[in-house]
Amino acid sequence: GLLQNTALESVGCIWFNRTEAADRVIVARKLREHVQGTDNNPLLIFPEGTCVNNQYTVMFKKGAFELGCTVCPIAIKYNKIFVDAFWNSRKQSFTMHLLQLMTSWAVVCDVWYLEPQHLKPGETAIEFAERVRSIIAVRAGLKMVPWDGYLKYSRPSPKHKELK
């Protein structure tokens, strides 16, 4: 809503809609312009593109790895001692999740700042993303899984269930 838009625009967030092809082109241009600007702050990008349950690392979106810039991976792992920071948008509204977080004793997490990474000669953006994802997964003790984080928004087909 208004509060979210005001707060995020004040820190220079780049908004986009993943389902709009035109938005992808515009965002790619804005990201490139930002990383090439010498006076700009570093970008904070969550390349999974969605909230994940603190047990896995899902496939990264490749856009952040196509910019030709240094990537500084950060591994974050939440401790559920006071509250589970994972937001399951299928089960809880964002307002209720935010209320739960703000009324808990604390949100506890481990944060590891890892060595900066660069695209290696001959490496594709997808390979670069997978390499960074692996570094993060190993450090945080997370399992790498070969699916997109948006899988949580769809149900498996009856055929798939029968095969399992």
Side-chain angles (χ1 to χ4, degrees):
L2 180 62
L3 178 62
Q4 179 182 353
N5 289 341
T6 303
L8 295 178
E9 285 178 15
S10 72
V11 294
C13 289
I14 299 172
W15 288 93
F16 63 97
N17 181 351
R18 270 190 208 288
T19 61
E20 292 293 326
D23 275 8
R24 290 174 182 237
V25 173
I26 293 167
V27 168
R29 180 183 47 78
K30 286 181 180 181
L31 292 175
R32 277 195 176 76
E33 288 170 1
H34 185 90
V35 298
Q36 291 170 353
T38 56
D39 295 333
N40 293 337
N41 290 323
L43 285 175
L44 175 62
I45 297 175
F46 294 91
E48 291 174 313
T50 187
C51 190
V52 183
N53 70 359
N54 204 38
Q55 297 175 21
Y56 307 104
T57 56
V58 296
M59 293 169 40
F60 283 5
K61 306 294 182 197
K62 68 178 181 167
F65 301 90
E66 295 177 317
L67 300 174
C69 62
T70 300
V71 172
C72 299
I74 300 172
I76 302 171
K77 186 165 186 180
Y78 291 95
N79 184 324
K80 298 178 186 178
I81 190 167
F82 294 113
V83 68
D84 186 358
F86 172 62
W87 173 42
N88 185 340
S89 57
R90 291 179 63 103
K91 295 182 178 179
Q92 186 180 43
S93 71
F94 183 71
T95 304
M96 289 307 297
H97 178 67
L98 192 58
L99 183 64
Q100 180 183 5
L101 289 176
M102 295 179 80
T103 58
S104 68
W105 282 100
V107 176
V108 179
C109 68
D110 292 312
V111 179
W112 297 276
Y113 296 89
L114 307 169
E115 289 294 319
Q117 301 295 313
H118 307 277
L119 184 68
K120 293 179 178 178
E123 187 176 45
T124 67
I126 293 171
E127 292 166 337
F128 185 25
E130 282 299 293
R131 182 166 55 85
V132 171
R133 182 168 80 111
S134 176
I135 292 167
I136 291 170
V138 167
R139 183 59 188 101
L142 302 170
K143 182 179 178 187
M144 288 180 59
V145 292
W147 60 72
D148 184 284
Y150 286 93
L151 184 63
K152 69 182 180 183
Y153 294 110
S154 59
R155 299 202 182 278
S157 71
K159 276 184 176 179
H160 189 282
K161 285 181 183 179
E162 287 174 19
L163 289 173
K164 292 291 177 181

